[in-house]
Amino acid sequence: MFAAYAARLDARDPLSALEWGERPEPEPAPDWVRVDVRATALNHHDLWSLRGVGLAEKQLPMILGCDAAGVDEDGNEVVVHAVVGDPHWRGDETLDPRRSLLSERHPGTFAQQVAVPRANLLPKPASLSFEEAACLPTSWLTAYRMLFTQSGLRPGDTVLVQGAGGGVSTALVVLGKAAGLRVWVTGRDEAKRTRAVDKLGADAAFESGARLPERVDAVMETVGEATWSHSLKSLRPGGTLVCSGATTGPNPPAELNRIFYLGLRVVGSTMGTRDELAALLRLCDQSGVRPVIDRVLPLSQVKDGLAAMADGDLFGKVVFTVQS
Ligand SMILES: NC(=O)c1ccc[n+]([C@@H]2O[C@H](COP(=O)([O-])OP(=O)(O)OC[C@H]3O[C@@H](n4cnc5c(N)ncnc54)[C@H](OP(=O)(O)O)[C@@H]3O)[C@@H](O)[C@H]2O)c1
């Protein structure tokens, strides 16, 4: 089958580690099923994998991709939950110490077929296209959990989203508005800030690091070192910083004085549970909320999508369509 995979690991030039072509079809283990992938979406995770973050030489070649919407062996249209855990684990799957994401230990979704545990399949609502559904299992699920499970925000509260055009950040803006929050955004690029307000409905957009008109109830962080200090300074006393990523680096100054003196809460968050993905699918189905898609490309153009992400030249998700 056709697939795109990490053939090498290269921290400096991740695109040079990418190859695409024929790979063996997956052999499902007991209680696993094969899914014909119709659409898959790009995540920063795929760039990290090519750089060797979370992937070791001995696992190569590894098919990339966490997100998939497709058709199962019985002909059902499905969305795949990307968190693969210990089958004996009970409770929140994101807290299973043995969990991994597709493309970390098991071959990923940038392929005509992917094998996944049967329990990871959810029905795709008919109202969502395969392209839209493929955006939900990673970026959008992460944003859903950050806002609705981890933040403590209530309708009417104000949230700051760091980053205007990213996959997670565009999801945070759209989901935050759908939930009745006042949503403020920062972005490095004026055109992206304007789009966040005009197209996604953000209430205001500010340059990265700009002083805000007032402090906010919560900040959603995926950028890391470049925005961490601004995130802490932007919170009201008792406010919450939810962090699910560190694109620009994981070790900003901790600013412990600010955290304890103002009683700030710093909450880590990763992906989401199967139940949260089911709720996100229902939300999209019932409310008309749809993922923000920058571009749709055939999987054979995987390198173009990754190059746009590496250059920061995106507003929303890159979706790859897959022919069976
Ligand atoms: N823990 C999890 O489960 C989980 C799930 C999903 C993602 N993540 C992580 O979250 C991060 C974002 O993922 P993504 O897929 O949304 O990536 P993405 O689509 O490439 O978005 C990157 C975002 O970072 C911003 N950014 C990059 N460099 C910046 C800088 N120097 N200053 C300010 N902003 C900067 C961009 O802002 P502009 O809009 O201004 O360009 C953009 O909003 C990644 O590190 C990813 O690994 C974690």
Side-chain angles (χ1 to χ4, degrees), residues 235-286:
L235 281 171
R236 66 158 168 80
T240 302
L241 191 162
V242 184
C243 176
S244 73
T247 304
T248 59
N251 292 312
E255 301 194 34
L256 296 177
N257 287 347
R258 186 175 287 277
I259 291 173
F260 70 71
Y261 189 67
L262 295 176
L264 304 180
R265 294 195 314 141
V266 176
V267 181
S269 194
T270 280
M271 298 294 283
T273 64
R274 185 185 189 282
D275 286 350
E276 286 165 335
L277 181 56
L280 171 60
L281 288 163
R282 279 196 303 276
L283 172 67
C284 292
D285 187 37
Q286 290 165 12

Side-chain angles (χ1 to χ4, degrees), residues 83-105:
V83 182
V84 180
D86 177 346
H88 301 296
W89 175 260
R90 293 292 170 267
D92 185 325
E93 299 97 307
T94 71
L95 304 180
D96 173 357
R98 298 182 64 179
R99 72 172 196 275
S100 68
L101 304 188
L102 290 172
S103 79
E104 289 178 351
R105 246 175 260 153

Side-chain angles (χ1 to χ4, degrees), residues 22-173:
E22 288 298 309
R23 298 293 312 151
E25 289 180 3
E27 290 298 333
D31 294 329
W32 286 49
V33 291
R34 228 183 283 204
V35 173
D36 281 333
V37 180
R38 294 289 167 81
T40 176
L42 178 65
N43 292 289
H44 220 96
H45 187 276
D46 304 304
L47 267 181
W48 291 128
S49 298
L50 291 165
R51 289 187 181 117
V53 179
L55 201 57
E57 293 277 354
K58 64 175 190 265
Q59 294 164 282
L60 301 177
M62 175 60 84
I63 298 176
L64 297 170
C66 303
D67 290 333
V71 178
D72 73 7
E73 292 164 350
D74 300 320
N76 303 305
E77 296 188 351
V78 294
V79 178
V80 175
H81 184 221
V83 182
V84 180
D86 177 346
H88 301 296
W89 175 260
R90 293 292 170 267
D92 185 325
E93 299 97 307
T94 71
L95 304 180
D96 173 357
R98 298 182 64 179
R99 72 172 196 275
S100 68
L101 304 188
L102 290 172
S103 79
E104 289 178 351
R105 246 175 260 153
H106 307 286
T109 58
F110 286 2
Q112 287 176 304
Q113 292 189 342
V114 63
V116 297
R118 185 180 295 280
N120 284 48
L121 299 186
L122 292 104
K124 179 182 83 62
S127 61
L128 293 175
S129 67
F130 284 112
E131 288 85 350
E132 290 166 339
C135 298
L136 299 178
T138 301
S139 301
W140 277 67
L141 178 60
T142 300
Y144 182 96
R145 182 177 173 89
M146 291 171 78
L147 281 173
F148 303 133
T149 305
Q150 309 286 37
S151 74
L153 286 164
R154 293 180 301 184
D157 286 347
T158 302
V159 63
L160 175 68
V161 176
Q162 296 286 16
V168 180
S169 52
T170 52
L172 287 163
V173 173

